[in-house]
Amino acid sequence: MTQRRMLVGRARKVAFGGIVVAAIVAGGVLARADSASPSLRQIVSYFNTIVFASELSPEMASKVVAKWQDNPVGISLSGRIKPFYIKAVERHLREITRVSGVRFKQVKPNTPNAISLYFLTRAEIMNVKGKNVDSRFIQAQMLHARCLFLAYRKPEKRIVRALIFVNVEAPDALIDSCLLEELVQSMGLPNDSNNLRPSIFSDLDHLTRLSYSDKVLLRVLYDPRLKPGTPRREALGIVAKIAAQVMGVKY
């Protein structure tokens, strides 16, 4: 489903400084961080957890690979913006592009088929209303969260819209880390797990750069050999082959 209209209180269009994150072809072996880097078996297990599981509810878990199929992907910022947020978003988008090959372009706020970031106070986020928006879900999640993302798929294999809400009352350092997490999760890696560390997917870490494991997962997801709509069991076999090449290890 796509989100048609958002009622988010104060909204202000923000220019990225002419950003269109250029395509950098993702490929080749990712340099391993150190001897403690995960094994191939661990990476496949992490992929299974992050892509095909849900910490919130089994009903929310994906049964097939889903990702953006538009390239570039539209993105907008609105709300209570300050330069630090813009620079952080630009930096994170560049890293996502370097790893995945997915490009981004600025679009107008509330544009369908795009990623929309809203920088609001907690009270404003708790009061968000709109078509196809579960207000009670947002309110429950924002009781303790600094950021929240909602992804929309149509059909199940295609991500067509993502909404990211950022609580501007949090410290800048935490906003920086949660921006990276929500942006990457909105790409098709939606779950969290404390078994994967260090990682943006762990609630125990607050990273502002992708870890080695994070890069491998994102690179594998957007490898063209892993087709959108691939069921879990079949996908994990393909993931193992791709990850072995990305990591430079024997399959």
Side-chain angles (χ1 to χ4, degrees):
M1 296 183 293
T2 56
Q3 178 63 30
R4 294 298 182 188
R5 182 168 178 263
M6 291 298 302
L7 304 178
V8 293
R10 181 183 303 178
R12 181 164 62 90
K13 181 180 177 181
V14 176
F16 282 89
I19 185 172
V20 174
V21 178
I24 301 176
V25 178
V29 176
L30 284 173
R32 296 176 70 83
D34 51 50
S35 59
S37 295
S39 67
L40 176 60
R41 177 176 293 183
Q42 287 175 312
I43 284 292
V44 174
S45 176
Y46 295 154
F47 192 95
N48 181 47
T49 298
I50 301 302
V51 173
F52 295 113
S54 172
E55 64 175 348
L56 300 177
S57 168
E59 296 178 354
M60 298 179 68
S62 178
K63 295 180 175 58
V64 300
V65 171
K67 49 186 171 180
W68 289 90
Q69 296 173 48
D70 302 310
N71 198 357
V73 174
I75 188 164
S76 68
L77 277 67
S78 59
R80 300 175 181 269
I81 304 295
K82 61 183 185 180
F84 177 84
Y85 302 155
I86 299 173
K87 291 180 180 178
V89 170
E90 289 178 332
R91 173 164 36 86
H92 297 328
L93 293 181
R94 283 193 293 269
E95 185 170 24
I96 292 171
T97 296
R98 282 195 297 269
V99 174
S100 69
V102 177
R103 297 169 294 141
F104 299 88
K105 66 177 181 179
Q106 184 181 4
V107 297
K108 295 180 179 179
N110 300 322
T111 297
N113 303 328
I115 300 173
S116 300
L117 290 95
Y118 299 97
F119 293 83
L120 306 166
T121 65
R122 185 182 298 275
E124 288 170 336
I125 297 173
M126 299 279 274
N127 197 42
V128 164
K129 296 178 176 63
K131 185 179 179 181
N132 298 327
V133 173
D134 188 339
S135 298
R136 286 183 294 181
F137 174 80
I138 292 176
Q139 291 166 4
Q141 294 303 308
M142 286 306 299
L143 286 174
H144 306 290
R146 292 178 297 274
C147 300
L148 170 71
F149 86 96
L150 303 174
Y152 297 79
R153 303 176 181 185
K154 188 177 181 180
E156 185 67 14
K157 67 180 182 179
R158 187 185 189 105
I159 302 174
V160 296
R161 184 89 193 269
L163 310 177
I164 298 176
F165 300 98
V166 182
N167 176 13
V168 297
E169 295 165 309
D172 283 353
L174 293 180
I175 288 178
D176 192 4
S177 64
C178 80
L179 275 171
L180 177 59
E181 177 186 358
E182 306 303 320
L183 283 167
V184 173
Q185 289 188 308
S186 71
M187 298 296 291
L189 296 164
N191 199 28
D192 289 326
S193 174
N194 289 331
N195 292 327
L196 173 54
R197 298 193 67 195
S199 172
I200 61 169
F201 303 109
S202 171
D203 292 332
L204 302 177
D205 297 319
H206 303 292
L207 306 184
T208 56
R209 298 293 298 270
L210 297 176
S211 70
Y212 177 76
S213 297
D214 298 336
K215 291 178 182 178
V216 174
L217 295 179
L218 183 58
R219 173 75 63 82
V220 169
L221 177 64
Y222 277 89
D223 189 292
R225 290 171 289 180
L226 184 60
K227 305 296 184 184
T230 305
R232 173 184 168 276
R233 184 181 296 274
E234 180 184 351
L236 294 180
I238 299 171
V239 165
K241 294 178 182 178
I242 298 173
Q245 294 181 3
V246 170
M247 299 168 68
V249 299
K250 187 175 181 180
Y251 172 64

